[in-house]
Amino acid sequence: MESNEKKPRYGMVIDLDRCNGCGNCTLACAVENNVPPAHENANERTGITWMRVQKVDNNRPYPENRSVYFPLTCQQCDHHTPCESVCPQKAVEYDTETGIVAQIPVRCLGCRYCMTACPYHARYFNWWDPEWPKGMETALNPDVSTRMRGVVEKCNFCHGRLQAARAKAAVEGRRAIADAEYIPACAESCPTKAIYFGNLADAGSEVSRLAKEKNSFRLLEQLGTEPKVYFRSEQSWVHEQMNAKLKTAEKEKIHG
Amino acid sequence: MNITRREILRFVGGSALGILLTPVPWKALDDSAIWTQNWPWIPEPVRGESSYKLTSCTLCSASCGLRARCIGNQPVSLSGISAHPLNSGALCSFGIIAHHLRYHPARLSRPCRISGKAGASGSTAMAFDELLLEVAAAINDASASSQTVAIVDGRPGRTASHLFQQFAAGLPNGKYITAGESSLEILGSMFEKPPGPLAYDLDNSKMILSFGVPLLDRWGTPARTARYLQKKSEGKQRIIQVETLQSRTAGMADRWIPIRPGTEAAFALGIAHVILKDKLFRDASKDIAEFETMIAAYPPSAVAEICGVSQDFIRDTAREFSANRPSVAVIDGSANSRHALAAVMALNILVGNVGRKGGVVVHREIPSPVALSKNKMSPISTLDAIPDHSIRAMLIDESLSGSSLPDGLLQKKLTGNGILVSLSPFVTERPFCTQYVIPSPVFLESLAELTGQADRESSSLSLSAPLVPEPAGMVDPIQFIQRLGSAAGVMNIDSGTTEELLKKRMTAIYSEKRGSIFNASNGQTSELKGLTSPDELWNVLFAGGCWMDSPETVRSLPAVRLTSVSTADRIKNIPPESNQLLLLPCAEDVIYRNSEISPLMSKVGQESGLRPSGCKVYLQTATGDALGLTDGCRVMLQTKKGSMQAEVRLDPSMMPDVAAAYSALNQQNIISLCEMNQDASLQPTPVKIQKV
């Protein structure tokens, strides 16, 4: 529950040992946030996918080779949020009430400083106007506006769902919302229950407990940006890889 | 007062400077940013009040229950029904975006005839009645010349399936063919009498020995991975994955045993050898001694050499499979030869897993008034049993996606002037024959019936209710076969609309008073006999519910013939020559090419993979180094069947001496380089790789 004393800090724990790389999170995110199908000229750098699933291996030869799937999205930095601090237009907003880093496309001028500043490559620029196959635009989510060519966008923990949960609570005369009332599309759609979402500031929440486990870690933690997306794995090589360097087997190899 | 030129310039300059100190330019900048983001050609979502409708997914036989969020009548998102007994709230990546299918660019709007080479130039739109006349003429021609007319059903067990059987029975040489889970069909054929519909009972199995089946990513219910992880943590289930590539299932299984491509049969026979030699079997087949003699050539030492694994893996797997009962061995029917399927199914027979909970179980037949009507029904055949080049007209129901037969096999069975009639929502072009395609409604547009569950203890039946109106001119499978029967003079087909026939089936199920019913509206499961009428059953199923049959009580099964496992085409030790690798055709890119998916599926893969950039071939890093190949370089793949250019990807997870090749979009298919078995399954093919 949202506490009057302590403001919520929404965050996520992704269990890499449970992820089978099915891509449901990517697709549910695209449906929820009206991200269009890939443009015919898009490549790995110019395509838009708020949540990308990347394959990471232990770099050992066959038959010792092992791999995990990494769903990567905006890490929702809580401290000195790099994208927010460089935006000249105040198009990136850090919500002090929730800790969510949101993008406001209508303010964005498309300078892409934020993309340069983001250490996780989690921001995407609209190189083309959004296009859907004929008729498919009628199946867009009415809670989220489409974005046009020339602006940056990224994951905002399905902020529209938070607004809807708050509106529902207000109608019912409540100020606080329950954890189950606000779940981003990626977490809701995960068939293997690999994505946990909740209030990190609530010591009793599942997400808070998992984030504190010894098997949990954050990406590029040494930068001090306090990301609110945690990963966990019981496989030691995953931690070793993260400590060394995040090596992606697929997405960083640009063959486009 | 004289105004000088200098004063005018001062005024203009001062105004320009002054205006910068006001909010005007900044406001104009901000507003222009907003205006330029509201161009009329940027699609805007349709606003309106949300409502939720419950139904069942038709994309595969898993029959997942789902909840559609609708704005007006338009579904805008799909999610699973968490209390649903079949999918526990999980949907697969195809299902979660299935509401987009009706907008697919390849959607078919009118019946058409496609002749000659594939492509739009060979496609002619025609009226449905005109098409029926042409097809009926071909059917009558086949009857007059004693040629076969076959109807292929990818989803047997439906009411439409029974009508198909009636249609086939009404023709002199009519054949009804199912394209179900072929490994279970093989197992069924090993019995002296048909044992009934077979299924894997994976949920109750203590150990699953999987030969390349993607159990934990895309096979059967998407809830399996979560269930398996839970059972694994409780020590209740183990999965051993036998597969060449490190698939997602291989990565998550308790143990991954990588074997050389095409050696699944040898590996299974090696396990059978250990089971027999160590007296670990529980089967008392009459021909077990004969079977032991047959597989004497497959001791672990020989199999280890064939498969490229340690002998210990074979012995350990055999002991584990036998000790951890109930266990079950499963194999991917679409990617392996019938020989391999039979060898793996023999393992289930040997350790007594057939007819046992947690192994391979026999499902009860779902009551159907059509199946019991006075109209005769054709028996079920397999395409293998039909002589090559003997089918004059082949009808394929592709209105619901699901199991399908490989094009190579279809081509082999058709006569030179054979026609193929496909009922499909999408344009499906097969370049080897004259094809008629009839448009059918897509998911969420029509009433559909879902039966089956080849991976559960008991069968089930669900309905998929139409949530959106179907476009004009669509034909559903029941209408199709009734009208074709009428045009071809086949009159022994039950009449009635789809809804009328399905309601009759509800009455038949209700009268049996067996099984349980899940009500999606309240999340409760109760005994069927608690319902008050067939209409109530209909209403529950129409609103996303599900009827689950009670499991078949244990009964004695017919005798089984283990010796039907052929060892004739024994796998040779490969690779055969130096400088050659084994070509392993892979199908991953097919998901982007498949028309039965939402265009949004393009988000899942790499963007570069969506373009026709040529075939990609994955090699072990050391293998690539030995051949002087670097990541990204282009090579020529050369087999006895032909050659093709490809781009190299070095991947440490690959088995040495194996080249896993993925066809790119709109390019020559890698399968054309591979040698084929008699049953149209692909053989591992030696390939030479040279840098270009």
Side-chain angles (χ1 to χ4, degrees):
Chain A
M1 301 281 285
E2 283 187 22
S3 158
N4 287 334
E5 293 80 36
K6 202 169 183 181
K7 290 175 181 172
R9 282 289 171 275
Y10 287 110
M12 198 176 264
V13 177
I14 301 175
D15 190 336
L16 302 178
D17 297 342
R18 293 186 76 93
C19 177
N20 67 359
C22 69
N24 265 25
C25 50
T26 301
L27 295 167
C29 168
V31 170
E32 176 71 20
N33 295 294
N34 295 334
V35 179
H39 190 274
E40 58 182 346
N41 295 324
N43 62 26
E44 279 77 343
R45 286 191 179 128
T46 56
I48 298 179
T49 307
W50 289 14
M51 187 164 223
R52 279 185 185 250
V53 181
Q54 305 201 20
K55 191 177 176 187
V56 177
D57 70 21
N58 61 358
N59 211 22
R60 300 276 304 153
Y62 163 94
E64 285 93 34
N65 188 276
R66 293 292 178 272
S67 58
V68 291
Y69 291 90
F70 251 88
L72 284 176
T73 182
C74 170
Q75 303 294 297
Q76 301 288 338
C77 300
D78 209 47
H79 184 64
H80 289 315
T81 310
C83 53
E84 188 216 13
S85 58
V86 300
C87 180
Q89 276 290 102
K90 290 284 177 199
V92 184
E93 187 178 79
Y94 174 83
D95 183 358
T96 55
E97 296 298 310
T98 59
I100 293 174
V101 182
Q103 178 76 16
I104 304 166
V106 289
R107 284 192 198 157
C108 179
L109 285 175
C111 67
R112 292 181 280 146
Y113 284 174
C114 55
M115 292 175 69
T116 312
C118 176
Y120 302 104
H121 299 251
R123 300 183 140 265
Y124 300 92
F125 183 68
N126 281 274
W127 291 93
W128 301 275
D129 281 330
E131 271 184 68
W132 282 266
K134 193 180 173 193
M136 206 166 121
E137 67 279 355
T138 59
L140 297 178
N141 177 10
D143 300 336
V144 178
S145 295
T146 51
R147 284 77 55 190
M148 70 153 300
R149 177 176 51 179
V151 299
V152 172
E153 60 186 69
K154 68 156 196 96
C155 161
N156 55 19
F157 275 168
C158 292
H159 202 261
R161 291 189 172 208
L162 174 62
Q163 303 289 18
R166 282 174 165 170
K168 183 169 175 277
V171 167
E172 293 168 1
R174 292 180 285 130
R175 289 194 60 189
I177 58 169
D179 282 349
E181 287 182 287
Y182 169 42
I183 301 171
C186 55
E188 183 185 69
S189 68
C190 180
T192 65
K193 314 284 180 213
I195 303 178
Y196 301 84
F197 181 81
N199 180 4
L200 291 168
D202 176 1
S205 68
E206 177 79 344
V207 70
S208 170
R209 184 186 66 76
L210 289 170
K212 287 173 193 155
E213 274 191 358
K214 68 177 171 60
N215 288 325
S216 293
F217 61 91
R218 292 181 285 187
L219 295 180
L220 301 177
E221 207 162 353
Q222 66 273 23
L223 296 181
T225 59
E226 300 291 331
K228 293 191 287 297
V229 177
Y230 291 75
F231 297 87
R232 70 182 300 274
S233 173
E234 290 178 9
Q235 301 177 74
S236 57
W237 71 263
V238 176
H239 295 260
E240 286 160 18
Q241 281 285 56
M242 292 310 117
N243 287 336
K245 186 184 175 186
L246 179 67
K247 181 184 182 308
T248 54
E250 294 291 336
K251 288 287 181 178
E252 287 187 359
K253 290 178 183 173
I254 306 299
H255 296 270
Chain B
M1 175 182 169
N2 285 336
I3 299 174
T4 63
R5 181 171 166 272
R6 181 178 293 265
E7 283 168 337
I8 292 171
L9 288 174
R10 268 190 192 160
F11 175 75
V12 171
S15 302
L17 284 172
I19 209 163
L20 287 178
L21 301 176
T22 72
V24 171
W26 314 111
K27 179 65 180 161
L29 197 62
D30 193 35
D31 281 359
S32 64
I34 295 169
W35 297 332
T36 56
Q37 284 165 51
N38 289 288
W39 298 120
W41 59 82
I42 306 294
E44 276 299 312
V46 179
R47 317 279 172 187
E49 196 175 336
S50 282
S51 61
Y52 292 89
K53 294 176 183 171
L54 305 172
T55 188
S56 300
C57 180
T58 63
L59 295 197
C60 74
S61 61
S63 314
C64 297
L66 59 83
R67 195 173 73 130
R69 181 190 174 208
C70 300
I71 303 297
N73 285 325
Q74 175 64 50
V76 295
S77 68
L78 304 178
S79 56
I81 298 171
S82 56
H84 201 284
L86 300 183
N87 64 313
S88 310
L91 291 182
C92 69
S93 50
F94 300 105
I96 208 161
I97 47 177
H99 58 300
H100 295 155
L101 284 176
R102 61 196 306 248
Y103 308 111
H104 198 287
R107 184 80 196 274
L108 187 65
S109 58
R110 293 192 64 190
C112 65
R113 177 179 52 226
I114 303 168
S115 39
K117 289 185 176 177
S121 58
S123 171
T124 315
M126 59 200 304
F128 183 47
D129 289 336
E130 186 190 354
L131 183 149
L132 282 178
L133 287 176
E134 287 191 19
V135 174
I139 289 171
N140 292 332
D141 181 37
S143 300
S145 54
S146 300
Q147 289 177 318
T148 302
V149 175
I151 183 155
V152 181
D153 186 359
R155 295 279 191 91
R158 296 170 295 157
T159 301
S161 310
H162 298 135
L163 297 188
F164 294 161
Q165 284 180 274
Q166 291 177 343
F167 175 82
L171 294 167
N173 284 311
K175 297 284 181 192
Y176 170 75
I177 293 162
T178 58
E181 179 48 48
S182 48
S183 57
L184 292 170
E185 284 175 6
I186 293 283
L187 178 59
S189 70
M190 292 164 82
F191 285 88
E192 286 181 352
K193 288 181 197 165
L198 296 171
Y200 297 116
D201 181 10
L202 298 183
D203 278 347
N204 292 311
S205 185
K206 203 169 166 188
M207 184 191 149
I208 303 172
L209 176 59
S210 159
F211 288 77
V213 179
L215 289 173
L216 301 180
D217 45 283
R218 60 177 188 275
W219 196 81
T221 175
R224 178 171 301 111
T225 307
R227 288 178 189 160
Y228 160 66
L229 290 171
Q230 179 64 31
K231 285 180 187 167
K232 184 180 176 180
S233 67
E234 296 166 358
K236 290 181 178 171
Q237 191 170 72
R238 277 173 62 73
I239 292 181
I240 294 181
Q241 184 76 359
V242 181
E243 189 173 10
T244 304
L245 300 178
Q246 192 195 105
S247 64
R248 294 169 188 170
T249 301
M252 296 186 86
D254 290 273
R255 193 195 296 170
W256 167 42
I257 302 178
I259 60 169
R260 284 207 183 103
T263 61
E264 286 82 1
F267 192 83
L269 293 179
I271 293 173
H273 191 281
V274 175
I275 288 172
L276 288 170
K277 196 174 176 208
D278 293 359
K279 309 285 181 209
L280 301 172
F281 59 92
R282 290 181 172 83
D283 176 72
S285 297
K286 285 182 287 187
D287 58 352
I288 198 158
E290 201 181 334
F291 179 67
E292 191 167 5
T293 311
M294 272 178 64
I295 63 164
Y298 292 88
S301 54
V303 170
E305 197 184 332
I306 293 170
C307 300
V309 294
S310 147
Q311 293 183 41
D312 292 341
F313 273 142
I314 300 163
R315 291 201 178 89
D316 292 350
T317 306
R319 287 166 192 154
E320 213 175 322
F321 185 64
S322 180
N324 288 296
R325 293 176 82 216
S327 56
V328 64
V330 296
I331 181 165
D332 184 358
S334 62
N336 289 285
S337 67
R338 295 178 71 81
H339 172 57
L341 305 188
V344 172
M345 290 302 107
L347 297 179
N348 287 319
I349 296 168
L350 275 179
V351 297
N353 287 339
V354 181
R356 180 188 165 94
K357 187 173 180 171
V360 179
V361 292
V362 182
H363 277 178
R364 304 170 82 173
E365 296 280 0
I366 301 176
S368 169
V370 177
L372 299 173
S373 81
K374 62 179 178 8
N375 289 322
K376 203 177 146 199
M377 285 173 47
S378 168
I380 298 172
S381 304
T382 60
L383 212 50
D384 282 351
I386 294 175
D388 290 354
H389 310 298
S390 66
I391 299 179
R392 173 71 173 85
M394 185 183 290
L395 320 176
I396 305 184
D397 177 15
E398 297 177 298
S399 58
L400 297 179
S401 53
S403 302
S404 59
L405 293 163
D407 281 357
L409 192 55
L410 299 181
Q411 186 175 9
K412 236 169 57 166
K413 299 296 173 185
L414 282 173
T415 59
N417 61 344
I419 62 162
L420 201 144
V421 185
S422 164
L423 181 67
S424 167
F426 304 104
V427 181
T428 48
E429 294 179 0
R430 293 179 171 93
F432 51 82
C433 63
T434 300
Q435 191 189 352
Y436 295 89
V437 193
I438 301 157
S440 65
V442 78
F443 173 52
L444 297 178
E445 284 181 351
S446 71
L447 180 61
E449 178 192 21
L450 302 151
T451 60
Q453 300 298 332
D455 61 346
R456 284 182 65 88
E457 185 184 11
S458 59
S459 53
S460 66
L461 187 140
S462 311
L463 293 177
S464 181
L467 301 188
V468 289
E470 66 180 44
M474 299 292 119
V475 182
D476 80 17
I478 288 178
Q479 284 175 311
F480 164 65
I481 203 66
Q482 287 172 336
R483 291 193 60 184
L484 182 60
S486 175
V490 181
M491 306 312 290
N492 63 322
I493 300 174
D494 282 9
S495 59
T497 63
T498 302
E499 185 170 332
E500 285 165 358
L501 289 169
L502 293 187
K503 281 190 168 170
K504 278 186 191 172
R505 191 168 207 186
M506 294 304 123
T507 307
I509 292 171
Y510 179 79
S511 64
E512 291 274 325
K513 301 276 184 195
R514 71 177 205 234
S516 56
I517 184 92
F518 168 71
N519 187 331
S521 308
N522 59 19
Q524 302 290 317
T525 300
S526 57
E527 294 291 312
L528 175 71
K529 52 192 165 199
L531 298 187
T532 55
S533 67
D535 286 344
E536 194 180 352
L537 174 61
W538 172 269
N539 291 337
V540 170
L541 296 193
F542 200 77
C546 165
W547 171 75
M548 287 159 294
D549 203 351
S550 47
E552 177 67 292
T553 49
V554 178
R555 62 179 167 88
S556 59
L557 290 170
V560 70
R561 298 185 310 269
L562 271 170
T563 42
S564 55
V565 176
S566 161
T567 53
D569 50 345
R570 184 185 167 191
I571 308 297
K572 294 184 182 72
N573 191 7
I574 39 187
E577 293 173 29
S578 61
N579 297 328
Q580 284 193 336
L581 306 178
L582 275 179
L583 182 64
L584 178 64
C586 299
E588 193 171 284
D589 286 355
V590 168
I591 66 165
Y592 310 121
R593 184 169 39 238
N594 190 337
S595 57
E596 294 163 357
I597 56 172
S598 161
L600 209 58
M601 189 57 96
S602 59
K603 311 306 301 181
V604 174
Q606 293 188 84
E607 284 82 353
S608 58
L610 302 170
R611 286 201 291 280
S613 57
C615 165
K616 294 188 194 78
V617 60
Y618 284 73
L619 304 173
Q620 223 265 350
T621 313
T623 305
D625 291 345
L627 293 170
L629 305 175
T630 53
D631 198 55
C633 76
R634 294 200 68 79
V635 291
M636 181 67 77
L637 305 177
Q638 177 81 49
T639 71
K640 282 182 183 171
K641 304 265 286 185
S643 60
M644 183 190 291
Q645 280 209 16
E647 183 184 311
V648 168
R649 298 282 177 94
L650 298 181
D651 184 340
S653 74
M654 286 295 304
M655 197 170 194
D657 304 326
V658 170
Y662 295 81
S663 301
L665 286 175
N666 309 320
Q667 296 286 301
Q668 184 189 359
N669 199 312
I670 194 73
I671 289 170
S672 64
L673 295 189
C674 299
E675 287 165 28
M676 235 175 231
N677 291 316
Q678 187 65 22
D679 56 11
S681 61
L682 298 175
Q683 286 179 14
T685 305
V687 60
K688 273 188 181 170
I689 298 187
Q690 287 181 320
K691 199 168 180 178
V692 292

